């Protein structure tokens, strides 16, 4: 019996049947190629908690949403988690980087409610990432201009959020 098999107590599985290990490795390689390499997005939405420059807490979520008919759409959702901050559902979200890049993401907060007669929650807003093109560089921070009803706020995205936006499919 080999040292590995002795150490991990797998005499029969590893010591006597080494081809089983090889077959398992080959099968996993075949399956990963057949299914495709999983993307970062396959695990579900990406979520962070961030602070704006005034100390307000925000939840930021990046996710893929089904849109009729059978289209996929990427969304950025913001949740105010402190105070009575109310987002303006009529204005876009503005992003700017240090290279002079400027993006306007259309507001699609109406998707947050099932019934069109209801208003979206004041503390949440959703934005379409379709217009985030060309993708921002993953080497520089992004400043978001949060459209609030009373006074806009600035939120700076860190490396993890910027890299996620840069890597959007």
């Amino acid at each position: 019996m080999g040292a590995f098999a002795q150490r991990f107590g797998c005499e029969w599985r590893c010591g006597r049947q080494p081809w089983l290990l090889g077959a398992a490795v080959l099968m996993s390689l075949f399956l990963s190629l057949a299914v495709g390499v999983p993307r970062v997005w396959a695990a579900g939405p990406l979520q962070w908690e961030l602070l704006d420059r005034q100390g307000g807490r925000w939840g930021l979520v990046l996710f893929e949403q089904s849109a009729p008919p059978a289209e996929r759409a990427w969304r950025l959702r913001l949740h105010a988690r402190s105070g009575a901050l109310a987002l303006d559902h009529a204005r876009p979200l503005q992003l700017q980087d240090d290279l002079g890049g400027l993006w306007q993401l259309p507001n699609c907060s109406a998707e947050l409610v099932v019934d069109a007669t209801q208003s979206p929650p004041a503390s949440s807003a959703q934005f379409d990432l379709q217009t985030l093109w060309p993708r921002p560089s993953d080497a520089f921070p992004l400043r978001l201009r949060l459209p609030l009803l009373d006074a806009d706020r600035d939120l700076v995205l860190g490396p993890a959020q910027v890299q996620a936006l840069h890597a959007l499919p």
Side-chain angles (χ1 to χ4, degrees), residues 9-162:
C10 58
E11 177 184 342
W12 183 84
R13 291 177 301 223
C14 301
R16 293 186 186 160
Q17 303 291 335
W19 63 270
L20 283 176
L21 181 61
V25 169
L26 286 175
M27 181 61 95
S28 65
L29 178 62
F30 172 75
L31 287 175
S32 69
L33 292 174
V35 174
V37 177
R39 299 180 311 216
V40 169
W41 302 100
L46 299 174
Q47 302 178 37
W48 297 275
E49 187 159 318
L50 304 168
L51 294 174
D52 64 28
R53 291 186 178 186
Q54 290 80 17
R57 289 183 28 227
W58 294 89
L60 182 131
V61 182
L62 299 176
F63 66 99
E64 186 178 23
Q65 175 172 306
S66 294
E71 294 177 17
R72 303 301 280 180
W74 293 98
R75 299 290 188 252
L76 183 151
R77 187 177 294 161
L78 289 167
H79 302 285
R81 296 202 170 143
S82 59
L85 299 173
L87 287 143
D88 186 345
H89 297 116
R91 292 191 294 145
L93 178 66
Q94 185 177 0
L95 287 81
Q96 187 172 9
D97 66 12
D98 290 340
L99 297 174
L102 183 65
W103 296 266
Q104 301 262 339
L105 304 182
N107 196 311
C108 53
S109 296
E111 296 173 351
L112 294 171
V113 294
V114 178
D115 185 2
T117 61
Q118 295 176 330
S119 296
S123 62
S124 295
Q126 188 163 292
F127 302 92
D128 187 357
L129 289 166
Q130 182 76 20
T131 58
L132 190 64
W133 191 259
R135 298 286 187 242
S137 168
D138 63 350
F140 297 97
L142 278 174
R143 287 181 304 283
L144 276 62
R145 176 65 108 187
L146 306 176
L148 300 179
L149 289 176
D150 54 0
D152 291 353
R153 290 197 179 193
D154 289 330
L155 179 68
V156 178
L157 299 184
Q161 299 86 35
V162 172

